[in-house]
Amino acid sequence: MSMWQVGLAALAAVVGMVVVGSSAAALNAGDDNEARARRFVAKHEATVKPLEIEVGRRWWAANISGKDEDYRLKQEAETRLELQLADPKTFADLKAIREGRLDDPLLARQIQVLYLQYLARQVDPELLKAMLARSNKIEQAFNVFRAKVGAKELTDSDVRRVLRTSTDSLQRKAVWEASKGVGQAVEADLKELVRLRNQAAKRLGFKDYHVMQLALGEQSQEQVLKLFDELDALTRKPFLAAKAELDAVLARNCGIAAGDLRPWHYHDPFFQESPAVFGAPDEALFAKVDILKVCREFYGGIGLPIDDVLARSDLYEKPGKNPHAFCFDIDRNGDVRVLANIVPNEQWLSTMIHELGHATYSSKNIPASVSYVLRMEAHALTTEGVAMMFERFVRNPAWLAALGVQVPNPEAFRQRAMKIRRNHLLIFSRWCQVMFRFEKALYADPEGDLNRTWWDLVEKYQGVRRPEGRDAPDYAAKIHIVVAPAYYHNYMMGELFAAQVHHTIARNVLAGVDPATAVYVGNKAVGRYMIERVYAPGRTLDWNRLTKHATGEDLSAKAFARDFSAK
Ligand SMILES: [Zn+2]
């Protein structure tokens, strides 16, 4: 613990007693709002900060060990934190402070960020219980559901294998339809969950739950719609061209005309990913790569060293350990770690570059002068954007070569990688259009003709023809609507942010090189730019102000679209 922390904790403990023991009405009449706001922030740091750090440590321990006891401790810590943030009296204080006058912009910003954090926890406890019960019921239905074709039960990977490999349209159709059965199984519960979520949002003063979720992330439907309309207009043509090329291959594989393609002819049940028709990656090449060495050299070389992060991290497979990958800023004071399960292949090189990208955008590189409340990324979309921006180099042979990984046939490798990347981004962007617009419609009118709305959107944005006469709740087969509501658009906005920052680096930091050939390797000016223009502000700026600070413009689809216009 630093002296600064000790001093602050002691001060906050004293001030905290005063605030705890008083209500809004009992505060001195002469007390100005500014002083009240400072006391609130100090109290938050004294009470909530230790709980947040505790949650981070417990989360880490549980996900590394997998032990029941560790998970119990994690849950206890999470409950203590949630209860603290849910306290209605504290929230009333905060709300009153926010409505009053605050001249110091940094103080006002802290109050605004705290307000959103506490507001999200002000849902009526009975409603919250009902919502949790309903969403758990749906999650369980998803987990136990097996698609049934005739008497045969299929797992999720069985379904995907058929969709990836079968050349028989009738078999594909039967398996696809069976996989959508989960939609019918959960439809009624999902609609009830939507009604409950809307009730909760209305009690907090929002039109519906979708509007509320966006507002909690400092976004509005109008703002995201405008961005998505622009994205649609700028990428519709390249998307249709890429899809026509894919459709020709898919139709040929099944011996049908492209006009007869239906949803079951794509390689995943929602056409959210690109069908894998351009061959497998060169795994022999990546099996030989020293992943940590590449990561150290790349990030160290651009002036964003991550050796300290790796030293604190837990990087390899263990019994009971969470099998995925995460980056954690435990204390917003430099204790940044990565949980990973590295095996030598392309996917893990890509994952490590991604997670360490998050690690560079953390309290490591946000100065200590930024207060605890704001010492974090501007928004989930900006940190995802940074991680994705770095991650995409992994399929670039010039980048690999600069880090000592020689690709045997670089031009063929590059062409294939570019095509796969282009298809991935274009297809994913159309899928995000469907998800954002559908969820908006779902919460605006849960009693509307949702089956039809879903297929109208799929036809319009994904260019996939609806099955003749189909009237089924196919949207309800997408679990993200239950577990990560109104969130998908952030993945897409992260991609837009990644492209816009990358184009800015190519233009301003790398003296106008073609963004397609900019690889950053060994250039410390890139790290300086990232620290100064992207990381240092932390959350003192919201996601759009940060974008403007970093790139000179509001977030837009222009840079993203430019990558598809040339070739
Ligand atoms: Zn990420």
Side-chain angles (χ1 to χ4, degrees):
M1 191 179 258
S2 70
M3 284 313 289
W4 171 79
Q5 275 178 306
V6 174
L8 185 68
L11 171 72
V14 176
V15 177
M17 274 163 54
V18 176
V19 180
V20 168
S22 69
S23 69
L27 281 163
N28 298 335
D31 205 352
D32 82 346
N33 200 45
E34 197 108 345
R36 204 174 153 194
R38 286 189 203 287
R39 275 203 303 275
F40 190 94
V41 172
K43 185 196 159 201
H44 176 89
E45 288 198 19
T47 54
V48 174
K49 175 178 161 181
L51 295 177
E52 286 179 331
I53 294 173
E54 179 75 0
V55 165
R57 296 219 167 102
R58 296 293 180 194
W59 186 97
W60 180 262
N63 280 275
I64 300 292
S65 80
K67 287 185 183 140
D68 289 349
E69 171 66 3
D70 288 336
Y71 272 96
R72 189 180 62 75
L73 292 169
K74 165 179 166 285
Q75 198 187 328
E76 280 174 16
E78 285 168 348
T79 307
R80 278 195 296 275
L81 172 62
E82 290 301 313
L83 284 175
Q84 183 74 32
L85 293 170
D87 178 47
K89 253 173 77 181
T90 308
F91 181 69
D93 266 354
L94 177 56
K95 193 160 179 272
I97 293 168
R98 181 173 169 270
E99 281 159 7
R101 187 174 150 175
L102 291 173
D103 292 326
D104 175 350
L106 273 181
L107 183 60
R109 180 67 189 150
Q110 292 181 77
I111 291 296
Q112 173 62 12
V113 167
L114 288 176
Y115 175 75
L116 294 173
Q117 188 184 5
Y118 283 72
L119 175 62
R121 271 78 176 190
Q122 300 308 308
V123 174
D124 175 75
E126 285 307 306
L127 253 181
L128 187 62
K129 240 162 88 186
M131 280 156 59
L132 279 174
R134 199 62 67 163
S135 63
N136 274 307
K137 190 175 168 207
I138 300 170
E139 276 182 62
Q140 193 180 6
F142 265 93
N143 289 339
V144 301
F145 176 82
R146 297 288 178 273
K148 240 181 159 167
V149 178
K152 208 178 159 216
E153 284 200 344
L154 304 173
T155 65
D156 191 54
S157 48
D158 292 335
V159 169
R160 285 171 186 275
R161 189 174 31 76
V162 170
L163 292 179
R164 232 175 24 245
T165 58
S166 172
T167 55
D168 175 353
S169 291
L170 283 177
Q171 186 199 20
R172 299 183 75 94
K173 181 180 183 199
V175 165
W176 181 88
E177 281 180 348
S179 78
K180 298 292 169 182
V182 70
Q184 276 140 62
V186 305
E187 179 188 15
D189 283 318
L190 176 59
K191 284 191 178 176
E192 183 54 25
L193 176 62
V194 167
R195 284 183 211 109
L196 291 167
R197 283 175 173 172
N198 274 347
Q199 258 184 54
K202 282 191 180 122
R203 282 193 206 172
L204 294 178
F206 294 96
K207 191 171 134 262
D208 64 42
Y209 184 78
H210 193 262
V211 173
M212 177 176 90
Q213 284 301 103
L214 265 66
L216 292 175
E218 307 192 282
Q219 296 166 338
S220 74
Q221 289 180 335
E222 296 68 32
Q223 193 177 30
V224 180
L225 263 186
K226 190 172 154 246
L227 203 51
F228 273 40
D229 282 342
E230 182 198 29
L231 175 64
D232 174 37
L234 292 177
T235 58
R236 175 166 288 270
K237 250 191 168 154
F239 166 71
L240 290 174
K243 180 168 175 289
E245 189 188 358
L246 285 167
D247 280 356
V249 179
L250 296 173
R252 199 178 331 117
N253 288 350
C254 287
I256 58 173
D260 293 329
L261 289 169
R262 291 295 176 274
W264 45 84
H265 288 109
Y266 296 89
H267 283 193
D268 76 80
F270 292 95
F271 188 37
Q272 66 183 79
E273 292 155 20
S274 177
V277 296
F278 300 113
D282 186 355
E283 283 303 352
L285 171 73
F286 288 98
K288 288 180 295 195
V289 172
D290 182 340
I291 291 178
L292 294 185
K293 183 166 169 276
V294 169
C295 290
R296 278 199 181 96
E297 278 183 25
F298 174 60
Y299 282 113
I302 61 172
L304 298 171
I306 39 72
D307 306 76
D308 59 325
V309 175
L310 290 176
R312 275 187 299 267
S313 293
D314 198 292
L315 298 173
Y316 299 99
E317 295 173 307
K318 280 179 190 166
K321 183 176 163 184
N322 185 319
H324 304 291
F326 301 88
C327 176
F328 241 96
D329 190 342
I330 300 264
D331 59 359
R332 299 191 206 171
N333 194 30
D335 183 355
V336 181
R337 313 173 189 177
V338 170
L339 180 156
N341 293 270
I342 299 176
V343 283
N345 62 25
E346 185 193 30
Q347 192 219 321
W348 275 103
L349 173 59
S350 157
T351 301
M352 284 308 292
I353 291 288
H354 179 104
E355 296 305 330
L356 291 167
H358 284 305
T360 65
Y361 188 179
S362 68
S363 57
K364 263 174 71 64
N365 289 315
I366 305 171
S369 56
V370 175
S371 68
Y372 175 79
V373 171
L374 303 176
R375 205 168 177 209
M376 57 198 300
E377 71 280 357
H379 192 281
L381 81 87
T382 60
T383 183
E384 276 313 320
V386 165
M388 293 187 297
M389 182 182 87
F390 288 126
E391 182 188 358
R392 70 174 183 174
F393 287 125
V394 169
R395 278 98 187 171
N396 183 328
W399 183 85
L400 286 166
L403 290 162
V405 180
Q406 294 305 329
V407 177
N409 187 347
E411 188 47 28
F413 186 99
R414 194 184 69 87
Q415 292 282 352
R416 177 179 169 278
M418 265 180 46
K419 189 178 255 186
I420 289 174
R421 178 180 149 71
R422 179 199 68 184
N423 289 354
H424 158 74
L425 288 175
L426 288 170
I427 288 166
F428 186 68
S429 84
R430 309 309 282 185
W431 166 244
C432 291
Q433 294 271 4
V434 171
M435 283 295 280
F436 176 72
R437 291 166 199 271
F438 178 78
E439 287 190 284
K440 179 173 171 287
L442 170 70
Y443 289 98
D445 182 14
E447 323 301 328
D449 189 349
L450 298 170
N451 300 357
R452 193 171 141 180
T453 302
W454 176 258
W455 282 108
D456 285 350
L457 290 168
V458 169
E459 288 193 334
K460 179 167 180 192
Y461 291 99
Q462 293 184 284
V464 175
R465 288 270 299 277
R466 80 184 74 198
E468 280 72 7
R470 185 154 179 93
D471 184 15
D474 295 324
Y475 61 90
K478 186 69 197 166
I479 194 167
H480 289 76
I481 294 179
V482 179
V483 297
Y487 190 77
Y488 240 92
H489 61 283
N490 285 315
Y491 295 123
M492 192 62 237
M493 288 165 75
E495 292 284 7
L496 302 185
F497 183 77
Q500 196 162 322
V501 170
H502 176 67
H503 279 241
T504 305
I505 291 175
R507 190 176 60 241
N508 296 351
V509 182
L510 306 177
V513 302
D514 178 357
T517 61
V519 292
Y520 305 177
V521 176
N523 194 329
K524 295 216 163 39
V526 172
R528 269 199 304 277
Y529 163 83
M530 292 304 289
I531 290 176
E532 280 168 23
R533 307 307 290 184
V534 182
Y535 301 163
R539 200 165 278 194
T540 59
L541 302 176
D542 67 31
W543 58 270
N544 201 35
R545 287 194 179 88
L546 178 75
T547 309
K548 199 157 188 179
H549 179 74
T551 70
E553 284 179 61
D554 286 344
L555 186 65
S556 89
K558 280 183 291 191
F560 179 84
R562 220 173 293 142
D563 285 341
F564 308 112
S565 59
K567 307 112 228 150

